[in-house]
Amino acid sequence: MSTQSAALIRELSMPPKSMSPKSIFLKSSSFLLTAFLGSALTSPLLADDQTLSLPSGANIGVELIEEFSFSDDQSRHQAILLHPTEADGATHELPKYCILVANAQLTSGRIRITTQDATCIETHDAESNIFTGAFEASAYGEDGQYGLACDDASCTLSPGQAFLITLDESINIDAQNNPSAEINAVRRQANGEGVANPIPSERPNPDESGNN
């Protein structure tokens, strides 16, 4: 697990109760996670609530979180951050709250982007599942060639420029332990909710009981 992913787990384990599809998480200037609605034409992602699964060859729409420029003097960027977005040709989708860590290299007029791992959160009402693990995928241009075309001496990729990444192999990432879910369960038991704690949440006042 990368340092970025570990930090995101700590930061995102308690997502806001209500959030619009275009709202954002802000960790720092370089940790921005936005949420978008998935296309109705895409395939379902989760095999069940505890596993994030995608097949080899799945195409996913993404964009950069921050702007990066490439030139002969600066041809490589490491640990760049991507998040899901709608893109033509996408066959699958990721959860709404998801971030990918990748490297990018300008080579022979193409920006070659390869991802290493992912951290995603799938929300269910007040609860959430956290998935983090290896996520190997590569970016392909509109012409179907490996890498994004760059015909100029200096190229810039910015947020809002959607492109596709294709999974090099299938993934099956199990949900991680979620501290916030465990805390919520304890709180519910303390409030007298559920079978685990049959004590009613509202107890009679001892003074009032003595007066009856």
Side-chain angles (χ1 to χ4, degrees):
M1 182 193 309
S2 70
T3 302
Q4 290 92 337
S5 293
L8 280 168
I9 289 178
R10 293 192 298 269
E11 199 73 17
L12 301 179
S13 60
M14 300 180 68
K17 294 182 179 179
S18 62
M19 181 171 293
S20 65
K22 291 186 179 179
S23 59
I24 59 174
F25 287 102
L26 181 61
K27 177 180 182 297
S28 67
S29 61
S30 65
F31 272 62
L32 180 65
L33 180 61
T34 58
F36 289 86
L37 287 175
S39 169
L41 300 178
T42 56
S43 302
L45 169 68
L46 297 179
D48 57 58
D49 291 343
Q50 297 300 317
T51 304
L52 186 154
S53 300
L54 281 171
S56 175
N59 294 321
I60 302 163
V62 296
E63 64 179 335
L64 271 72
I65 290 179
E66 290 185 293
E67 182 176 282
F68 286 93
S69 296
F70 299 81
S71 65
D72 292 339
D73 296 331
Q74 181 65 61
S75 62
R76 181 175 177 83
H77 291 281
Q78 293 181 300
I80 66 174
L81 303 180
L82 315 172
H83 65 74
T85 189
E86 294 183 2
D88 292 339
T91 60
H92 293 73
E93 63 182 12
L94 288 169
K96 293 179 180 180
Y97 314 118
C98 195
I99 197 165
L100 310 175
V101 181
N103 293 331
Q105 174 81 47
L106 175 62
T107 303
S108 302
R110 303 191 77 91
I111 301 173
R112 298 179 177 177
I113 300 174
T114 55
T115 64
Q116 281 77 52
D117 57 20
T119 297
C120 301
I121 292 180
E122 181 79 3
T123 59
H124 304 279
D125 297 324
E127 305 296 343
S128 60
N129 289 327
I130 302 171
F131 304 92
T132 183
F135 194 98
E136 297 182 3
S138 304
Y140 287 83
E142 295 180 355
D143 55 5
Q145 299 298 312
Y146 174 43
L148 307 180
C150 173
D151 299 327
D152 301 328
S154 178
C155 298
T156 300
L157 289 180
S158 305
Q161 293 179 256
F163 56 92
L164 294 176
I165 57 173
T166 301
L167 272 174
D168 299 333
E169 56 186 26
S170 61
I171 63 164
N172 290 284
I173 303 175
D174 293 332
Q176 304 294 309
N177 291 332
N178 187 346
S180 108
E182 296 173 1
I183 292 172
N184 289 337
V186 171
R187 286 174 177 170
R188 286 195 297 270
Q189 293 178 20
N191 290 333
E193 301 176 12
V195 178
N197 187 354
I199 300 174
S201 58
E202 295 184 2
R203 301 179 181 178
N205 188 315
D207 294 336
E208 294 179 357
S209 300
N211 294 330
N212 292 334

